[in-house]
Each structure stands twice: as C-alpha cells, then as structure tokens.
C-alpha cells in the first residue's frame, strides 16, 4: 500500500479509505460512487450536475478497466488527493512541481511494518494512474492541465520473468483437485476442480472466469467454447478441452440437481457460491469473487503438497499456461493470441481468426502436455 512520509507534510487525518471493494456489473456504479464520495480534496458531490468532478471520477473508474486496475487506480488517486488535502492544494490547480514534491514522498510499508522508498515500478504505475485521471478530466473540460504529463517517470527496464509452476507441479495440482472431487462427489468439490482446470488449461485472467455465466458456454464447429469478457471489456472466447470440460459438466449436473432444474436450464454465474450451511438468508448463487479463487488455489496447493503453495495465485495459472506452451515450442504468436496480449495479427483477425482460434488453438497442445504429466503421476 502506498503511504506518505509524515515528516514531509503537515499532520492530518488520512483519507477515509484507500481500498476499493470488488464490484459486480449490477451494482458497480453505486459502489464506485460511494467510494469516490470518501475521497478528500474534491468539492462535494452535486447530484444536479452531471459533470461534477466526483461523478466524472466514478465514470473514469468504471470505464474500460478490470477490477484489479480499478483498485490500483483508486488507491493511487486516494494517496494523491490525501496529500493534496494535507498540504492545502486544490488538485485542479496542481502543477508539475507539486507532483514532483509528492512523488518524492512515496513510500511502501514492508512486511516488518516499516516504511521504505517505493520501487521504481510502483512509482511509475502510480504516476500512470494519476495521469489517466487528469486526462479523463481534461477530456471532459473539467481540468485545464495534466500536471503529471511532464513529470519524469522512473525507467523500470525489462520486467524479469514471473514465477510459474512447472509441468509436474501443475499436473500434481490438477490430479489432486480431480481426485478430491471424485472422492467427495459434491458440488463444491467439482466446482473447485473446474476452477483450477479452466484456469490452467486456458490461461484466462481470473476476472474473465469469475464474470462468466452459464450462458457463456457454447459450441462452435464441433468445439465446446467459453465466451468471456477480456481485459478492456471486449468479448472473446477460448476452446475448452475435455480435461476442463469434465469437472465443469459434473459440477453443473450437481448444481442443477440441487436447484431442481435440468443442466440446460441453469442460469446465472458459471461458477457460483454455495448456500450457507447454517444461515438461511445466504442462499448462494452469486459469482465467485477473485478472493475466493485466490483462497481456493492457496489452500488446495498446500493440500496437494506443492512447494509453491505459499506464493500461488490466480495469475500463477496464467503465467504457467504461457510458460509451458513456450517451453514446448508452441509458436509465440499462438500463445499471444491465447492470452490476449498486444500485437494481435491484423490478417488473422480479418480473414481467418474464427477457425484459427478453434482448430489450431494451443489449448489442445497444452491438454496433451498436461495429460502426459498427469499420467506419469497416477
């Protein structure tokens, strides 16, 4: 979390909050508006002014961002506005010198609870978030200048490779999840197995999985596919290989039986919470949150005996997918296509994107790689 150096600014209360809760489409704007109302240094909200700065800030957070980006941007903006409040600065009157003064106070709190200078990557990301806010204000004729635009940002260099599971560890986790589901044969166990299988066999971002609905399951050209909302809000799809389909279908069968409908009549989130065992007011059926997936991976990686259990996260699955494919000579262009990275080839998008994504998707190569590894462990 970013904090301010207390010795460099006048003492005053911290912003009411720097954490933004997870949001869902049906109540996202209300939650964001409530969070924005807590930000300091901005004029009070005016419900009669559609271009009031707090309303525009809410729309800035809501538009074309993932939940992860919203949380980061909100924390950055809260830190900047908190500094403005403590120093008596109107954010709309800020200049480069003010941003430089604030940048020089940025610290992070270590595990020992002590503050230390923020890393270059943290400073660069923080400035990018604040600059994005000012650009949005400018585009709506609210701010005359972007005081961050001329600020020197740290050069972070190339990002080192991020940790990922090896093939054997991935197979061990997948086998553990399916063996656990077979032994219990319960709805939550098969749901958990489906979560892990889909993440590792497709490389989906966790937000793409937690926002998917049952209606997003589809078939095309003989392939079972999952449609999802990609980063930036656009829709995409990925084939589901049989190893990912199996736990998902069993989970949906048990869920349908519990709710008294046929599997093809199910609606709602693809992966849903269960009714509370003791609290009848919590009927379940809500989408899994990203923290639920994080907790699931962490606890089940420990149960599976993975050495990487203490550092595993939903993004580990995505990194693992890309790493395994590249390490086994799958062309980098196909991996980029699967993971939805930048530089997607124009020719493929315009002429052959549909069949290419189905017939030659690297998820099929990944399924064979992991099937071999899982067979060696069984």
């Amino acid at each position: 979390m970013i904090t301010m150096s207390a010795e460099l600014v006048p003492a005053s209360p911290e912003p009411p909050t720097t954490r933004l809760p997870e949001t869902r489409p049906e109540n996202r704007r209300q939650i964001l508006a409530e969070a924005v109302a807590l930000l300091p240094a901005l004029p009070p909200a005016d419900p009669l002014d559609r271009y009031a700065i707090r309303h525009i800030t809410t729309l800035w957070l809501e538009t074309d961002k993932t939940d992860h980006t919203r949380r980061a941007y909100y924390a950055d903006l809260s830190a900047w506005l908190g500094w403005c409040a403590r120093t008596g600065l109107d954010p709309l009157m800020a200049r480069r010198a003010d941003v430089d003064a604030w940048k020089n106070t940025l610290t992070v709190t270590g595990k020992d609870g002590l503050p230390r200078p923020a890393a270059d990557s943290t400073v660069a990301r923080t400035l990018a978030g604040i600059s994005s806010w000012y650009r949005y204000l400018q585009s709506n004729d609210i701010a005359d200048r972007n005081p961050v635009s001329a600020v020197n940002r740290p050069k972070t260099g190339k990002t080192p490779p991020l940790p990922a599971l090896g093939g054997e560890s991935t197979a061990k986790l997948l086998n553990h999840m399916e063996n656990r589901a077979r032994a219990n044969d319960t709805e939550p166990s098969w749901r958990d197995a489906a979560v892990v299988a889909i993440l590792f066999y497709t490389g989906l971002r966790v937000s793409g999985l937690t926002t998917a609905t049952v209606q997003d399951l589809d078939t095309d050209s003989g392939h079972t596919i999952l449609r999802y909302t990609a980063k930036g809000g656009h829709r995409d799809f990925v084939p589901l290989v049989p190893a990912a389909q199996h736990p998902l279908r069993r989970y949906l069968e048990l869920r349908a039986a519990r709710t008294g409908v046929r599997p093809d009549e199910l609606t709602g989130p693809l992966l849903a919470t269960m009714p509370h065992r003791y609290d009848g007011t919590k009927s379940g059926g809500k989408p899994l949150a990203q923290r639920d997936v994080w907790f699931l991976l962490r606890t089940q990686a420990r149960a599976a005996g993975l050495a990487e259990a203490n550092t595993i996260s939903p993004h580990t699955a995505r990194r693992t997918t890309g790493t395994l494919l590249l390490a086994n000579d799958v062309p980098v262009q196909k991996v980029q296509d699967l993971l939805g990275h930048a530089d997607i080839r124009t020719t493929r998008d315009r002429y052959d994107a549909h069949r290419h994504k189905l017939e030659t998707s690297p998820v099929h190569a990944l399924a064979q790689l992991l099937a071999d590894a899982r067979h060696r462990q069984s």
Side-chain angles (χ1 to χ4, degrees), residues 194-213 216-217 225-231 234-240 244 248 270-271 290 293 297 313-322 325 335 337-341 357 363 366:
V195 168
V196 175
I198 294 173
L199 285 176
F200 279 92
Y201 278 110
T202 67
L204 274 181
R205 289 182 174 87
V206 64
S207 58
L209 182 60
T210 56
T211 58
T213 68
D216 288 328
L217 278 177
I225 63 174
L226 176 64
R227 303 186 188 279
Y228 64 95
T229 301
K231 186 176 182 179
H234 70 275
R235 298 284 288 171
D236 206 342
F237 63 90
V238 65
L240 290 182
L248 179 61
L270 180 66
L271 300 154
Q290 294 186 27
V293 179
L297 285 171
S313 71
H315 206 67
T316 302
R318 183 170 168 80
R319 295 194 298 264
T320 298
T321 298
L325 290 170
V335 179
D337 205 25
L338 172 66
L339 299 182
H341 290 157
K357 288 177 72 72
V363 299
L366 179 62

